[in-house]
Amino acid sequence: MSQDDVQRAVGRLEARLDELFALLAVVQERVEAGLAASDADVPGLGYADLTGLLRTVAAPHCRAALATAPSVAGVGCVAQSPAEGGGAFAMVWWVSRNGVVSEKRHDLNPASDAFYDYRDAEWFSVPRSTGAAVVAGPYIDAWGTDDLTITAAVPLRAGGRTIGVVALDVATARFVDELTGALDLLPQDAVLVNADGRVVASTAPDLTTGLRLTPRSRAGTGQPSAARVPVGSQGWALVLAPSPGTPA
């Protein structure tokens, strides 16, 4: 296998990630501009007012993003309301199902059995605390999609401070198929893993999305001849199985 083969595959993988963040950047820019134009003291708003303002400002941009990106299943904004002691969060979210875009309401009551507690989730905590973009998953989104999910997120800013995130969920099966198509460019088994070593996409039949790549895996990093190539800036990597006949 040539380096050109590898670089073509990596280029296609990175292009898919870049498309997600380009879409997020558009929504982020327009929502932040809308918040600024509202003349509201956004960091000082209570939960109800913040939710209403976010819904009004974000709705057209989130709906437009879903209408133009078939590999995205959901997009929205989450922001904290410091005015209520820092424990109240506003979340507005839109989903696309069978081409129909609608708003999804999450249960944000901490006392509820169905409380959607995302506060420690990587997609929320990392951009909010560090200001960095992140792509999290695959993970099981309990109380959200309740399925394997990949979420990308960027910070949401207002009034000179980070108040939350703009995030999207990919349509996981479609997105993984697109990534697998890039891996199919390679003449041997290849696995795309996230920063935690969990499989995102694979052409190795025994390594499916969500599994953790271990030294015992057939294409695992524990084999001396396996090659690992960085993909993007989010800690993802392409792991290449040894070619047939290559000594381990």
Side-chain angles (χ1 to χ4, degrees), residues 77 80 83 124 164 175 178 206 223:
C77 304
Q80 186 179 26
F124 180 67
F175 186 66
E178 292 170 352
D206 53 338
Q223 296 193 21

Side-chain angles (χ1 to χ4, degrees), residues 163-184:
I163 62 167
V165 305
V166 179
L168 64 80
D169 289 335
V170 302
T172 304
R174 179 172 184 145
F175 186 66
V176 168
D177 281 348
E178 292 170 352
L179 298 176
T180 304
L183 300 183
D184 282 335

Side-chain angles (χ1 to χ4, degrees), residues 3 12 17 31 36 59 95 103 114 138 146 165 178 192 215 220 234:
Q3 280 300 112
R12 284 185 57 176
L17 285 172
V31 171
V95 296
E103 185 177 0
D146 200 29
V165 305
E178 292 170 352
L192 177 65
Q234 303 298 321

Side-chain angles (χ1 to χ4, degrees), residues 8-235:
R8 272 194 296 271
V10 168
R12 284 185 57 176
L13 294 169
E14 291 181 338
R16 296 301 298 116
L17 285 172
D18 289 345
E19 287 172 12
L20 294 183
F21 285 110
L23 184 67
L24 277 176
V26 171
V27 177
Q28 175 195 44
E29 178 182 356
R30 293 176 180 174
V31 171
E32 289 180 349
L35 293 175
S38 72
D39 291 327
D41 175 22
V42 178
L45 293 178
Y47 164 77
D49 289 337
L50 181 57
T51 300
L53 178 60
L54 272 180
R55 180 173 289 119
T56 299
V57 169
H61 311 304
C62 292
R63 287 178 173 275
L66 287 170
T68 59
S71 61
V72 175
V75 61
C77 304
V78 188
Q80 186 179 26
S81 173
E84 298 184 7
F89 293 83
M91 183 175 193
V92 292
W93 198 265
W94 288 265
V95 296
S96 177
R97 294 191 177 95
N98 300 318
V100 177
V101 176
S102 60
E103 185 177 0
K104 178 174 181 177
R105 303 290 181 95
H106 296 81
D107 189 340
L108 302 180
N109 179 5
S112 170
D113 290 339
F115 174 45
Y116 182 42
D117 190 0
Y118 51 80
R119 293 170 295 183
D120 293 327
E122 181 184 9
W123 63 265
F124 180 67
S125 61
V126 171
R128 184 166 161 260
S129 62
T130 69
V134 69
V135 56
Y139 65 96
I140 298 294
D141 186 20
W143 305 113
T145 64
D146 200 29
D147 202 351
L148 271 177
T149 302
I150 298 171
T151 303
V154 295
L156 174 64
R157 302 178 181 89
R161 60 184 293 179
T162 299
I163 62 167
V165 305
V166 179
L168 64 80
D169 289 335
V170 302
T172 304
R174 179 172 184 145
F175 186 66
V176 168
D177 281 348
E178 292 170 352
L179 298 176
T180 304
L183 300 183
D184 282 335
L185 295 173
L186 301 169
Q188 62 196 66
D189 284 350
V191 185
L192 177 65
V193 297
N194 67 11
D196 295 326
R198 200 168 290 281
V199 175
V200 179
S202 169
T203 53
D206 53 338
L207 294 170
T208 57
T209 301
L211 292 178
R212 188 175 295 280
L213 196 65
T214 69
R216 292 186 179 182
S217 299
R218 186 161 52 84
T221 58
Q223 296 193 21
S225 54
R228 177 178 286 258
V229 183
V231 175
S233 59
Q234 303 298 321

